[in-house]
Amino acid sequence: MSKIKETSTNFANKQALADECPEVYAANIIGGQWSIVICSWLINGKLRFGELKKLIPNITERMLTLQLRKLEENKIIKRTVYAEVPPRVEYELTEIGYDLKPIIKMLENWGEKHKALR
Amino acid sequence: MSKIKETSTNFANKQALADECPEVYAANIIGGQWSIVICSWLINGKLRFGELKKLIPNITERMLTLQLRKLEENKIIKRTVYAEVPPRVEYELTEIGYDLKPIIKMLENWGEKHKALR
DNA sequence: GACATTACTTACATTTTTTATAGTACCCTA
DNA sequence: TAGGGTACTATAAAAAATGTAAGTAATGTC
């Protein structure tokens, strides 16, 4: 992830596409190695950073942080920090984040079906 | 795109995730800069290589080829070559490819809604 | 004072994806 | 014989995404 170069062709292409195709726009937001897994865990309720980390074994802390930030920026999740020590931070889906539920469900069904025909 | 290194951590992670989450498996298949656009054009019927190229202005021929190959490998589209000169090649969605229609439609709606709240 | 806990951050390396540019084969037409 | 149309391929380079490894802050407990 890191910074994205706003002068690159890639950036321009993504912009242009997202502008005229809402489905591509959507895909840009929830695309990314770990976004969908995170969301599908959060569908069942709020979770702490460490809980997510345990639920998604192979993710590194860096990647988890980055994806959570991106999701937060895009208003898919809400982040709540409790002023405690050691720190406690909870993540939960926003309303529009929660709207992803049926989409994720459909992807799941489609995935199952697709797997079956290999 | 090109080759993927089967010894990388990234490869292993993708595999593991796709194995247990059909929604991630699905996302891996239709993820990629241009896949969804291509599919959403093909939903309306078969198209030739050159037609797709015209419909998707910024895509390079290389990218179009790569994405079409990937979609073909994953049995989302079917490729038909006519032995003519100049060559004619037609692409169309397979049955399971066509099953993506409602998903793309939902992504579209979700995208619209998400755009609205910015 | 050393240590544990939690949710990060930072610097850097590697891998993957995307773009740029220039070809190719084939036959038909002028 | 030259040029045009179609659907590509080859190679290199740029950009983006992901991974590795180490460190930080704050405070309560031993």
Side-chain angles (χ1 to χ4, degrees):
Chain A
M1 303 200 71
S2 74
K3 290 276 163 48
I4 150 162
K5 203 164 182 177
E6 310 204 349
T7 52
S8 70
T9 307
N10 185 268
F11 178 77
N13 283 344
K14 264 193 181 132
Q15 285 284 86
L17 264 185
D19 274 1
E20 44 184 304
C21 310
E23 69 271 27
V24 173
Y25 170 87
N28 284 345
I29 290 181
I30 57 171
Q33 186 86 90
W34 310 95
S35 299
I36 290 187
V37 211
I38 294 174
C39 289
S40 62
W41 278 114
L42 288 178
I43 281 174
N44 307 313
K46 54 175 70 166
L47 288 169
R48 297 179 58 179
F49 185 89
E51 291 174 319
L52 279 168
K53 209 179 96 180
K54 253 168 241 150
L55 288 167
I56 310 173
N58 296 323
I59 200 170
T60 60
E61 301 196 339
R62 176 177 141 77
M63 266 298 127
L64 184 51
T65 305
L66 286 175
Q67 300 278 353
L68 287 171
R69 288 285 178 283
K70 185 184 166 195
L71 290 171
E72 196 194 352
E73 256 176 45
N74 288 312
K75 314 236 190 289
I76 309 302
I77 60 176
K78 199 176 129 243
R79 176 167 179 266
T80 312
V81 185
Y82 295 88
E84 303 172 359
V85 169
R88 180 159 64 100
V89 182
E90 284 182 346
Y91 293 95
E92 61 186 314
L93 291 177
T94 57
E95 204 190 310
I96 197 150
Y98 201 75
D99 284 347
L100 287 170
K101 186 173 178 175
I103 294 180
I104 293 178
K105 195 72 199 151
M106 287 193 83
L107 276 176
E108 211 176 308
N109 292 338
W110 185 87
E112 295 280 16
K113 185 173 173 189
H114 188 276
K115 268 190 187 178
L117 57 76
R118 283 186 314 183
Chain B
M1 302 200 72
S2 73
K3 289 277 163 44
I4 151 164
K5 203 163 182 179
E6 309 205 349
T7 51
S8 71
T9 307
N10 186 270
F11 177 78
N13 284 345
K14 263 191 183 138
Q15 283 285 85
L17 264 186
D19 273 2
E20 44 185 302
C21 310
E23 69 272 26
V24 173
Y25 169 87
N28 285 344
I29 290 181
I30 58 170
Q33 186 87 89
W34 310 95
S35 299
I36 290 188
V37 210
I38 294 174
C39 289
S40 63
W41 279 114
L42 287 178
I43 281 174
N44 307 315
K46 54 175 70 166
L47 288 170
R48 299 179 56 175
F49 185 90
E51 290 174 320
L52 280 168
K53 210 179 93 182
K54 252 167 245 154
L55 288 167
I56 310 173
N58 296 324
I59 200 169
T60 59
E61 301 196 339
R62 178 175 143 77
M63 263 298 124
L64 184 50
T65 304
L66 285 175
Q67 300 278 352
L68 288 170
R69 288 285 178 283
K70 185 182 166 197
L71 290 171
E72 195 193 353
E73 256 175 45
N74 287 313
K75 314 232 189 294
I76 308 302
I77 60 176
K78 199 176 129 243
R79 177 167 179 267
T80 313
V81 185
Y82 296 89
E84 304 172 356
V85 168
R88 179 159 64 101
V89 182
E90 284 184 346
Y91 294 94
E92 62 186 313
L93 291 176
T94 58
E95 204 190 312
I96 197 150
Y98 202 76
D99 284 347
L100 288 171
K101 186 173 181 175
I103 295 180
I104 293 177
K105 195 73 199 150
M106 288 193 83
L107 277 176
E108 211 176 307
N109 292 338
W110 186 87
E112 295 280 16
K113 186 174 172 187
H114 188 278
K115 268 191 187 179
L117 57 75
R118 282 187 313 185

